[in-house]
């Protein structure tokens, strides 16, 4: 079937679900969702639908996208290779399913937010970051 652009809430939901299908099975970042944060999916998925809907269509996300990552960052340092993998999975998900301006916009937005998030997580003096005792090794990596 010909790929179409991201146009509806159903498209957003498909994009987000397909992304997490892959992300949760990924050897580098999957365990962060499954084992470290034990994500409550029925709660988290609608938040992510709203987040992407508000960036791409007309959704009503009113949260703080950065905030939970500071907490995760204390348990598992969110270093650049993890953001690179996150983005790879996001981009391949979007490209597999959709084609068009809004699909391109999804990728552009993901890249810029990821870049800002990566910068904040790895800035030791960022005001939201606790300065002491940030572990330098990844304690939860069961694959290595
Ligand atoms: C290595 C990269 C990342 C990891 C491991 C990660 C992981 C997570 C986890 C575990 C949560 C918490 C889910 C819960 O509530 O239990 C979360 C929330 C969230 N993430 Fe990420 N994330 C990453 C990067 C990103 C990026 C690049 C974006 C945006 C483009 C993003 C957007 C969000 C948003 C919007 C939320 C929900 C915030 C809220 O509760 O309002 N994440 N993430």
């Amino acid at each position: 079937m010909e790929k179409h652009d991201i146009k509806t809430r159903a498209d957003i939901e498909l994009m987000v679900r397909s992304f997490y299908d892959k992300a949760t099975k990924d050897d580098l970042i999957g365990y962060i969702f499954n084992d470290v944060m034990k994500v409550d999916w029925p709660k988290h998925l609608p938040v992510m639908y709203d987040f992407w809907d508000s960036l791409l269509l007309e959704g009503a996300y009113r949260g703080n996208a950065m905030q939970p990552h500071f907490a995760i960052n204390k348990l598992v340092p969110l270093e650049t290779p993890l953001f690179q993998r996150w983005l790879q999975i996001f981009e391949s998900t979007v490209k597999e399913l959709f084609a068009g301006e809004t699909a391109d916009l999804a990728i552009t937005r993901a890249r810029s937010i990821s870049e800002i998030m990566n910068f904040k997580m790895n800035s030791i003096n960022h005001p939201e970051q606790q300065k002491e005792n940030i572990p330098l090794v990844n304690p939860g990596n069961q694959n290595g």
Side-chain angles (χ1 to χ4, degrees), residues 3 10 17 24 33 38 41 43 51 56-57 61 66 79 82 89 96 103:
K3 285 182 215 169
R17 271 187 278 107
T24 54
F33 301 96
K38 297 187 178 22
W41 293 105
K43 214 173 135 194
F51 175 73
L56 303 177
L57 303 173
Y61 176 74
M66 290 295 153
E79 291 168 342
L82 278 62
I89 299 169
E96 246 169 58

Side-chain angles (χ1 to χ4, degrees), residues 3 22 50 63 68 90:
K3 285 182 215 169
K22 290 185 212 255
D50 284 347
F90 187 83

Side-chain angles (χ1 to χ4, degrees), residues 92-110:
S92 66
T93 303
V94 171
K95 286 179 178 162
E96 246 169 58
L97 295 170
F98 303 103
E101 272 178 34
T102 310
D104 292 343
L105 183 63
I107 290 173
T108 312
R109 293 262 153 96

Side-chain angles (χ1 to χ4, degrees), residues 31 73-77 79 134-141:
Y31 80 99
N73 195 39
K74 283 179 195 149
L75 303 170
V76 178
E79 291 168 342
I134 296 172
L136 294 173
V137 290
N138 179 339
N141 190 340

Side-chain angles (χ1 to χ4, degrees), residues 19-20 28-30 32-34 36-41 43-44 47-48 51-52 55 61-69 72 76-87 90 106 109-115 117-118:
F19 169 77
Y20 283 118
L28 193 63
I29 65 172
I32 302 174
F33 301 96
N34 302 327
V36 178
M37 298 308 290
K38 297 187 178 22
V39 174
D40 179 351
W41 293 105
K43 214 173 135 194
H44 183 56
V47 174
M48 296 313 288
F51 175 73
W52 282 107
L55 289 179
Y61 176 74
R62 294 281 178 273
N64 177 345
M66 290 295 153
Q67 197 268 324
H69 303 89
I72 301 168
V76 178
L78 294 177
E79 291 168 342
T80 300
L82 278 62
F83 284 101
Q84 287 170 337
R85 180 65 61 87
W86 189 103
L87 259 184
F90 187 83
R109 293 262 153 96
R111 279 185 193 152
S112 61
I113 297 167
S114 174
E115 195 174 326
M117 199 181 277
N118 186 5

